Amino acid sequence: MSFKYSWPIVLDDDQPWFTDTTIAKAKNLALYGKATQSDLIKNPWSGEGHASNAIDGNHDPDFHHGSCTATDLQNDPWWKLDLLDEYVVTSITITNRNEVPERLDGAEIHIGNSLLSNGNSNPLAGKISSIPGGRSLTFEWKKGISGRYINVVIPGSNRLLTLCEVEVYGYPAPDGENVALKGKATQNLLLGNNFASNAIDGNKDGDVNHGSCTQTEKTLNPWWRLDLLKRHKVFSVVITNRVDFFSVRLNGAEIRIGNSLDNNGNNNPRTMKMHVFFLLCISMMPWFTDTTIAKDKNLALYGKATQSDLIKNPWSGEGHASNAIDGNRDPDYYHGSCTATDLQNDPWWRAGKISSIPGGRSLTFEWKKGISGRYISVVIPGSNRLLTLCEVEVYGYPAPDGENVALKGKATQNLLLGNNFASNAIDGNKDGDVNHGSCSQTEKTLNPWWRLDLLKRHKVFSVVITNRVDFFSVRLNGAEIRIGNSLDNNGNNNPR
């Protein structure tokens, strides 16, 4: 095996795979994890040597600049990264310190889901022969290695482990989410009201008359296509057929997956052939989980904690700032999941005031409007105070970043005029000429409506509506925007 520094090392060979660019492209998963190590070198209050230094995003290889880890001399020293969830790891980059770089020689990388022997018993993924001072070495696995914990361990007696940065790239392990629900469906011809989007509405009802299946007219090489709106690694496709005697019409259909729109996407590689695309009630089960508004998601688990001071014996694991965001609510300090400072003036941990909390109990602060911010601090004003926290949980949602979440939704309307489908209004095209095929339109009716299902609850900060450009633009006058969680009266009873 040849080694090149600051370049990938390919440890296995397999077929290429589709990647979801929202997660896999240049996102360092280590930044969102939690790091621990077997021991901490002298002077813990100095900031030098801490396990978290290897996942702070700082590649500075000078140990004395405070961004590298270090253990004392000991047997089999180790460093462990908890990714907080299982990922398929495709590459790891390790940056060595400038001085005494030979100390990292022989270090092993282990990846897996076990905490046996502090994670050091997980499968061996790679071994470092040597890394020159201040340089980086990348290990790459095309197939990926699945695991939650990544350990770097140096076998042997009287060894010292130092890491200046560890970067981890990959994607979440498959979780069975149906990402078809977030896509956009089209087909070459429409028969009746059997719209392409019916096959990704989450309803597996195989009775065509119930309105949840797609169907084309009879034609040469009929097709149905799903745009996932971004690249995914697809693990499975589940297709539900109609239930009547016309079910044989699906025999011989081909499934093609790829990134090309040549020939309407039908030139993409064929993955399998069924025994012609006339109708589908379909779902897709890849891995990507959208966390735009994760319900009851504790954001603290993905943060980085610091505090004003660390109580005695830092190598014991007790008292560390990160203990308050490890997901463990155990209130017994000696079980190792609480923070602690020494007695000092104004101790703090990094927005309400705590009057009192009974031992072992929890207190929740709620702000209906929400408070925007990146950092959350707990501080006790006063002299000779000591701060201990057994768990801090934070719930909220990302601050507005301008993302158009309508693109991931599903649109419907009460009546259809021509080919002016409801989905045209969320295709990302603002062309106001109705004849260009990117506007929605209903027939004339009492109280016409158009509805967007965001597929999960969001806090909506703004809605931008583009009107048609001709003299019929006045038809939109007096339209109401209603937002809520009810489908009563087709959603039109939600608050205006």
Side-chain angles (χ1 to χ4, degrees), residues 278-333:
F278 270 84
L279 88 167
L280 295 170
C281 310
I282 190 170
S283 65
M284 300 188 72
M285 309 299 286
W287 57 266
F288 181 65
T289 303
D290 189 327
T291 56
T292 312
I293 286 287
K295 186 178 180 182
D296 293 334
K297 180 177 180 179
N298 180 8
L299 305 178
L301 296 174
Y302 303 88
K304 179 180 178 182
T306 54
Q307 60 191 20
S308 54
D309 181 44
L310 177 62
I311 203 168
K312 60 181 181 176
N313 300 335
W315 52 88
S316 69
E318 296 172 355
H320 289 275
S322 58
N323 289 349
I325 56 171
D326 61 1
N328 187 348
R329 295 184 179 183
D330 188 340
D332 189 321
Y333 176 80

Side-chain angles (χ1 to χ4, degrees), residues 105-170:
D105 292 357
E108 299 177 349
I109 300 173
H110 294 256
I111 303 175
N113 294 303
S114 171
L115 278 176
L116 184 66
S117 185
N118 291 302
N120 297 315
S121 296
N122 282 314
L124 177 66
K127 189 171 183 178
I128 299 170
S129 57
S130 66
I131 305 177
R135 302 293 295 275
S136 300
L137 177 63
T138 297
F139 294 83
E140 187 173 273
W141 303 273
K142 284 191 176 180
K143 286 181 67 175
I145 300 175
S146 183
R148 171 174 173 173
Y149 305 104
I150 296 169
N151 281 47
V152 179
V153 57
I154 302 181
S157 60
N158 205 32
R159 300 298 300 270
L160 186 154
L161 175 60
T162 296
L163 302 164
C164 287
E165 194 66 18
V166 176
E167 302 166 68
V168 180
Y169 299 92

Side-chain angles (χ1 to χ4, degrees), residues 12-45:
D12 61 25
D13 192 15
D14 199 2
Q15 298 300 316
W17 41 268
F18 300 108
T19 59
D20 187 318
T21 54
T22 58
I23 289 291
K25 185 179 180 181
K27 181 172 182 179
N28 179 8
L29 303 174
L31 297 175
Y32 306 88
K34 178 185 175 185
T36 53
Q37 59 190 19
S38 54
D39 181 42
L40 178 62
I41 203 167
K42 59 181 181 177
N43 302 334
W45 53 88

